[in-house]
Amino acid sequence: MIWAYPDNYSILLLAAVFVLLYAIYLYRFWKINQKIKVKKRRLVWKMALRTLYFTLFLIAFAGPSIGNAMKEIKQEGKDIFLAIDLSRSMNAEDIKPSRLQRVKFELKNLVKNFSSDRLGIIIFSSEAFIQCPLTFDQNVIQLHLDGLNSGLVPNAGTDIAAPLKMAYSKFLSDESQEPKSKAVILISDGEDFGNELEETMEQLNQSGIKVFSLGVGTETGSTIPRGSGVVIDQSNNRPAISRLISTNLRKIASQTEGDYFELSDESQEIPQLIDAISKLEGTVMASRTVEASSNKYFYFLLAGLILAIIDSILPVRTLSI
């Protein structure tokens, strides 16, 4: 017999507590016996019954495993690109400490939930660049996330189609050529000055690549810091206000059978995003068969419960009146 939880200290402690309490119980009867006649044989029977079902409870607690069975363990995985907007508007502070800093913090926690998946990072503004190719190495991903800043890309506007086109081409050129579940997590405030979005969405949809959009910011928006001042709107010489524009982000998610989520101080839907990605059916990356023991604690627990019920509903008289 194999024990799933061989915690001898806990078992001995519980046994000691039982012996102590039952000793107090017997001492009380011994005191009663000084004045009233006690049927000792019935007392011994009751003591044996309680000791038996308590012992069964202890055995069940230890998790007895009898016999072995073969169990197949499958490791599933997905390919996921994180497409992160690094345009200057991501420095807006309508989310504290800023949109980009909040994204970096949330993504570092998010990637920990996908340790069996290949993750990659695409950064973009008016152009898209591969910051980190698809990899299983979580440390590399975390390192690249730490270094994200708006100075890594040219800031001449934002083209949301650019990172999606790059993710599409990278998925198609994957050397492994294994059929895998593919997804893109698009993180942006939604500003878009590109003109190839419709064509790109059609390509993604035909290839079965789902896009999960994360809108970052608020509809109220805020100014964009630059140096010791703020970005100025050249059309009216006033501080530029960056706002969350969710229209395109929602459209992309809907047309690729993904979903849309938001991140702000009021709306924090990262857990829902993690749950949606986790529900994607992964491809079996590896499979192995192991020998596993079969835990039989239930039978000991059931027998102990039956004896305890018998003890409670059919009390044994120990006193003679």
Side-chain angles (χ1 to χ4, degrees), residues 281-302:
E281 184 178 351
T283 301
V284 177
M285 308 293 292
S287 177
R288 59 193 177 98
T289 303
V290 298
E291 188 175 10
S293 56
S294 180
N295 197 329
K296 304 295 184 181
Y297 79 94
F298 178 77
Y299 299 104
F300 294 91
L301 179 62
L302 180 61

Side-chain angles (χ1 to χ4, degrees), residues 32-268:
I32 294 174
N33 191 44
Q34 304 299 312
K35 299 178 180 180
I36 306 175
K37 184 179 180 181
V38 177
K39 293 184 178 294
K40 296 181 177 61
R41 189 163 54 183
R42 293 184 178 179
L43 179 62
V44 170
W45 191 90
K46 177 181 280 288
M47 178 180 175
L49 178 65
R50 292 181 175 176
T51 301
L52 177 59
Y53 67 70
F54 183 80
T55 301
L56 290 172
F57 287 152
L58 287 182
I59 294 175
F61 174 77
S65 298
I66 304 172
N68 295 317
M70 303 307 292
K71 182 178 180 180
E72 184 180 12
I73 298 178
K74 296 181 179 179
Q75 180 182 358
E76 295 186 351
K78 300 177 281 289
D79 282 352
I80 305 170
F81 266 118
L82 306 174
I84 306 169
D85 186 353
L86 294 186
S87 59
R88 191 176 291 126
S89 61
M90 290 295 287
N91 293 324
E93 296 176 346
D94 50 351
I95 302 176
K96 300 301 180 183
S98 73
R99 293 176 183 174
L100 182 55
Q101 292 302 319
R102 183 64 173 277
V103 164
K104 289 166 63 174
F105 173 79
E106 297 290 353
L107 287 183
K108 291 186 71 174
N109 292 324
L110 179 145
V111 299
K112 295 176 183 177
N113 292 273
F114 303 103
S115 58
S116 63
D117 302 315
R118 287 202 307 173
L119 300 177
I121 299 176
I122 297 174
I123 56 177
F124 71 96
S125 59
S126 56
E127 300 178 57
F129 305 89
I130 289 288
Q131 180 74 355
C132 179
L134 291 168
T135 178
F136 287 107
D137 194 332
Q138 290 262 323
N139 293 327
V140 171
I141 294 293
Q142 296 284 359
L143 184 64
H144 282 291
L145 290 176
D146 280 332
L148 293 179
N149 64 82
S150 58
L152 295 175
V153 294
N155 274 282
T158 305
D159 182 3
I160 289 182
L164 299 179
K165 288 172 62 178
M166 178 160 286
Y168 173 73
S169 66
K170 292 300 179 182
F171 282 141
L172 288 186
S173 62
D174 183 13
E175 294 180 356
S176 66
Q177 295 300 322
E178 295 178 359
K180 300 174 185 173
S181 296
K182 300 176 176 64
V184 179
I185 301 177
L186 177 64
I187 302 118
S188 175
D189 53 24
E191 293 183 351
D192 182 27
F193 301 97
N195 54 15
E196 298 182 14
L197 188 55
E198 291 292 338
E199 179 185 350
T200 304
M201 285 192 297
E202 184 177 349
Q203 290 174 331
L204 292 170
N205 192 34
Q206 290 177 352
S207 300
I209 301 172
K210 300 180 186 297
V211 179
F212 295 85
S213 301
L214 179 65
V216 184
T218 62
E219 293 182 359
T220 303
S222 75
T223 57
I224 306 169
R226 182 168 66 177
S228 58
V230 296
V231 174
I232 300 298
D233 187 344
Q234 299 299 323
S235 63
N236 55 22
N237 290 323
R238 294 180 180 179
I241 303 296
S242 174
R243 297 179 174 84
L244 170 63
I245 304 174
S246 63
T247 307
N248 279 337
L249 297 176
R250 293 179 184 275
K251 183 178 180 180
I252 293 169
S254 175
Q255 292 193 9
T256 59
E257 299 183 5
D259 210 340
Y260 172 77
F261 305 92
E262 284 190 4
L263 175 63
S264 67
D265 290 339
E266 292 76 29
S267 181
Q268 303 178 34

Side-chain angles (χ1 to χ4, degrees), residues 17-33 38-39 42-48 50-51 53 311 315-319:
V17 170
F18 172 76
V19 171
L20 177 62
L21 295 177
Y22 215 85
I24 296 173
Y25 171 79
L26 293 176
Y27 175 74
R28 289 181 61 243
F29 265 85
W30 179 79
K31 296 295 289 183
I32 294 174
N33 191 44
V38 177
K39 293 184 178 294
R42 293 184 178 179
L43 179 62
V44 170
W45 191 90
K46 177 181 280 288
M47 178 180 175
R50 292 181 175 176
T51 301
Y53 67 70
D311 183 33
V316 178
R317 293 180 57 192
T318 56
L319 300 179

